[in-house]
Amino acid sequence: HEAPLLYAAVASRLQQRADACSPQGLAIAAWAYASSGTEAPQLYAALSSSAVVRLHHFQPQGLANLVWGLATAGHEEPALFAAVAAEAKGRLHGFQGQGLANTAWAFAKAGCADE
């Protein structure tokens, strides 16, 4: 990406304020940083720990974007993926086709098996 200092500064701020971010904000941050190819393991950890306790507040597309971002970034977070699997199972009717596909891809990419 073109602005490494900006990305680093925003990542630092997001890490500090992850608990104040909306579920959509957490999902979009994971998606954006993964899409940019930015290595930000501390950011992904902060986003994950903030998200896992409030997954029930996420829209289906937010769940899909969150796990897609983490899987794309190669951020291993088995507890979060297990919690998303449990949350998503009861809400699959609310997912659009792309969200279902992205969620399935993310679980496969992350090597997570639903047991």
Side-chain angles (χ1 to χ4, degrees), residues 19-96:
D19 289 339
C21 289
S22 69
Q24 182 180 9
L26 297 171
I28 290 172
W31 174 86
Y33 273 79
S35 294
S36 74
T38 302
E39 293 205 18
Q42 295 90 354
L43 172 61
Y44 295 125
L47 296 174
S48 297
S49 68
S50 182
V52 75
V53 296
R54 32 188 190 138
L55 292 174
H56 59 284
H57 292 296
F58 278 69
Q59 295 297 316
Q61 189 62 46
L63 292 172
N65 288 348
L66 178 67
V67 294
W68 183 93
L70 296 174
T72 298
H75 184 76
E76 294 185 19
E77 198 69 49
L80 176 76
F81 275 81
V84 169
E87 181 67 29
K89 279 183 194 174
R91 298 177 28 192
L92 291 177
H93 63 279
F95 281 75
Q96 298 297 318

